[in-house]
Structures are given as structure tokens and as C-alpha cells.
């Protein structure tokens, strides 16, 4: 008498169970978070923010667990809230890896920490605005926004920084230049590029400007993270938390930051 072969059991872990497991791990990492965080952020607040982000974006749970934990730890080391609401930083799932995308407000915050800037900001230029700029020995930038209800499409973005010693630096990028950077980003179809495109465009100009400014360690690290994401490379956030090292170690973010610093 023939029998029907028993079906192979495939255990599917419910999303809620995965979330609870990750949150339990994060709770165990609380001492590490406390060491990494600056004074203005408590480990309890960071845990609440991480928990909210995980609950709000279930796709994060389908990613490599180490990259998710690493992204949260990296946000803690930078002192940025990764809730995706304030615009400081975003946790974005890409295939099986979580990427930490620093937002416009996050870069502004990090740039100000150098203590050498009096003002730093970025603006979007619309088609109906009056806008002129020139580089060279006599640099100038003038932007007069239109008062019309429909200002037109964004045609450019720019970032400006005034140093405490009286110097001023600015960077202008056309909409086409920003579009090229978005197109090659691994997060172009998810996260802030979709929900906050204007903020991301301004951040792109700001990031380019930040490479010419006096930078804190945190700012240099954030710029390196952002650039890796934009050129389609892994951010290697697994290296941020305690994991066994491989015999042939991949370059870490510290290596990338140091290499870029030497190339400037």
C-alpha cells in the first residue's frame, strides 16, 4: 500500500517574533549604546527610536540581522536619531542589507559640531526663481525666490557655509547632477529619496560642501557612509558591532574615511 510522503516542514518565523528577537538583542546592547551615544541622547531614547523604526518598516526584519544592529549602533555613534521622521537619519532596507542614510538635518547637525561654523544651510532653486552664481576670484551667489504659488520644478540646489573666521564657501549642483547621484544610489527607490526628495537633493549639495569644511570625526564618517551608499557599495555596518573577524578582513568604514581624507 503506497503512502504519501510527508511534506517537509518549513518553519516561518512570524514578523512579530523577529521584531521581538531584534529588540531583545538591542536591549542587551544597551551598555554599548550608552558608551557610543553623546550626552544629548540617552540609550533608553535610542532603543525606543530603534523599536519604532523596526515596527514601522517590517522590511528591515528581512535583512541581515548584523547589518540592522550595526546600522542602529552606527547611528548611535554619530548621535543621530534614526526614526526617519526628524530627518536626521533613516534605516533603509536594500535586498538583505540595512543601510543607514544620513538626512539633510543630520548632516547640518554634524557639521555644526566642529565648532568652526557660524552658519550652514542649503536651499532648492525653482524654475521661476532668480538665481545667479559665479566661481573664481570674485565668487558670488544670489537667489531671489519667486512669489508665485507654483514656483516650478527644482532646477538646482546649493549649500552655503559661513566660518567663524569670516570666510564663506558654497556649492551649487544642477538638478541633472543630483538625478545622476540618485540614480546610482542603492536606496533610490525606497526611503528618503522617495518620501523626501527635496531634502535629499539639498543634502547632496551639502555633502559635497562638507568635504571642503573643517570636519568632526562624526561628519567625515557620515560623508563616507553616504558616498558608499550612493555608489552602490556595502556600508559594512556589520563591522560596527562585535562580530568575529574574517581571515581576509574587508576594509572598514574607518579605512574608507582615512583613505578619503588622504586623497583630499
Amino acid at each position: 500500500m503506497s503512502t504519501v510522503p510527508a511534506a517537509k516542514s518549513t518553519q516561518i518565523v512570524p514578523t512579530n517574533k523577529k521584531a521581538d528577537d531584534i529588540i531583545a538583542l538591542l536591549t542587551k546592547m544597551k551598555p554599548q549604546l550608552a558608551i557610543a551615544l553623546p550626552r544629548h541622547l540617552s540609550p533608553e531614547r535610542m532603543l525606543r527610536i530603534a523599536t519604532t523604526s523596526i515596527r514601522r518598516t517590517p522590511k528591515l526584519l528581512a535583512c541581515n540581522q548584523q547589518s540592522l544592529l550595526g546600522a542602529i549602533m552606527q547611528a548611535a555613534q554619530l548621535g543621530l536619531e534614526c526614526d526617519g521622521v526628524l530627518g536626521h537619519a533613516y534605516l533603509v532596507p536594500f535586498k538583505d542589507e540595512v543601510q543607514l542614510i544620513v538626512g539633510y538635518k543630520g548632516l547640518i547637525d554634524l557639521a555644526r559640531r566642529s565648532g568652526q561654523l557660524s552658519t550652514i544651510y542649503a536651499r532648492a532653486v525653482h524654475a521661476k526663481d532668480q538665481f545667479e552664481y559665479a566661481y573664481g576670484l570674485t565668487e558670488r551667489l544670489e537667489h531671489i525666490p519667486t512669489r508665485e504659488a507654483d514656483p516650478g520644478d527644482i532646477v538646482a540646489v546649493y549649500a552655503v557655509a559661513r566660518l567663524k573666521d569670516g570666510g564663506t564657501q558654497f556649492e551649487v549642483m544642477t538638478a541633472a547632477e543630483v538625478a545622476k547621484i540618485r540614480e546610482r544610489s542603492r536606496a533610490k527607490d525606497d526611503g528618503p529619496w522617495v518620501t523626501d526628495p527635496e531634502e535629499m537633493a539639498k543634502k547632496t549639495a551639502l555633502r559635497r560642501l562638507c568635504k571642503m569644511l573643517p570636519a568632526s570625526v562624526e561628519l567625515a564618517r557620515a560623508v563616507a557612509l553616504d558616498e558608499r551608499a550612493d555608489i552602490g557599495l556595502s556600508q559594512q555596518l556589520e563591522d560596527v558591532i562585535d562580530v568575529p573577524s574574517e581571515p581576509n578582513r574587508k576594509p572598514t568604514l574607518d579605512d574608507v574615511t582615512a583613505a578619503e581624507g588622504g586623497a583630499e
Side-chain angles (χ1 to χ4, degrees), residues 23 36 68 78 83 141 165 178 254:
I23 292 166
L68 174 55
L78 294 175
D83 60 358
L141 185 149
D165 63 7
V178 173
D254 285 328

Side-chain angles (χ1 to χ4, degrees), residues 19-241:
D20 290 342
D21 290 345
I22 290 290
I23 292 166
L25 282 173
L26 282 171
T27 303
K28 290 181 180 178
M29 291 170 57
K30 187 176 176 181
Q32 289 178 264
L33 288 171
I35 294 172
L37 285 165
R39 291 182 180 178
H40 71 276
L41 268 179
S42 68
E44 291 79 13
R45 178 169 176 77
M46 198 66 184
L47 285 173
R48 287 197 300 270
I49 291 168
T51 299
T52 301
S53 296
I54 291 168
R55 300 288 189 195
R56 186 188 297 122
T57 312
K59 288 182 180 179
L60 292 170
L61 297 172
C63 296
N64 177 290
Q65 179 178 285
Q66 294 292 86
S67 73
L68 174 55
L69 296 174
I72 294 168
M73 180 59 72
Q74 181 64 81
Q77 290 176 355
L78 294 175
L80 298 177
E81 299 186 9
C82 53
D83 60 358
V85 175
L86 295 178
H88 287 181
Y90 305 78
L91 298 176
V92 180
F94 180 77
K95 295 183 179 179
D96 65 344
E97 180 181 293
V98 177
Q99 291 194 314
L100 177 66
I101 305 298
V102 179
Y104 166 66
K105 292 179 181 178
L107 265 191
I108 289 283
D109 182 24
L110 292 173
R112 286 174 174 162
R113 291 184 199 174
S114 71
Q116 299 186 51
L117 303 178
S118 59
T119 306
I120 184 167
Y121 60 89
R123 298 277 189 271
V125 181
H126 294 264
K128 297 179 183 179
D129 295 349
Q130 295 181 42
F131 182 67
E132 292 184 358
Y133 69 97
Y135 293 123
L137 295 178
T138 308
E139 296 188 343
R140 66 185 181 86
L141 185 149
E142 182 177 345
H143 179 202
I144 304 177
T146 181
R147 295 185 179 181
E148 294 187 29
D150 178 12
D153 295 335
I154 293 176
V155 296
V157 287
Y158 65 92
V160 177
R162 291 191 178 91
L163 282 69
K164 288 185 176 180
D165 63 7
T168 301
Q169 291 185 327
F170 69 87
E171 186 70 31
V172 179
M173 295 184 69
T174 65
E177 289 176 314
V178 173
K180 285 181 181 180
I181 290 176
R182 174 180 177 172
E183 186 58 31
R184 71 187 188 192
S185 172
R186 301 174 81 183
K188 64 180 179 180
D189 298 320
D190 201 355
W193 273 119
V194 176
T195 59
D196 303 289
E198 181 173 329
E199 293 293 286
M200 288 296 286
K202 293 191 295 185
K203 187 205 75 172
T204 303
L206 184 65
R207 186 183 69 193
R208 185 174 287 186
L209 175 66
C210 284
K211 296 171 74 173
M212 300 185 292
L213 300 176
S216 63
V217 173
E218 293 86 358
L219 178 60
R221 196 173 185 84
V223 169
L225 274 170
D226 230 41
E227 290 189 331
R228 288 189 69 89
D230 275 349
I231 61 178
L233 294 178
S234 169
Q235 292 180 323
Q236 299 173 352
L237 294 173
E238 298 91 338
D239 297 336
V240 177
I241 57 178

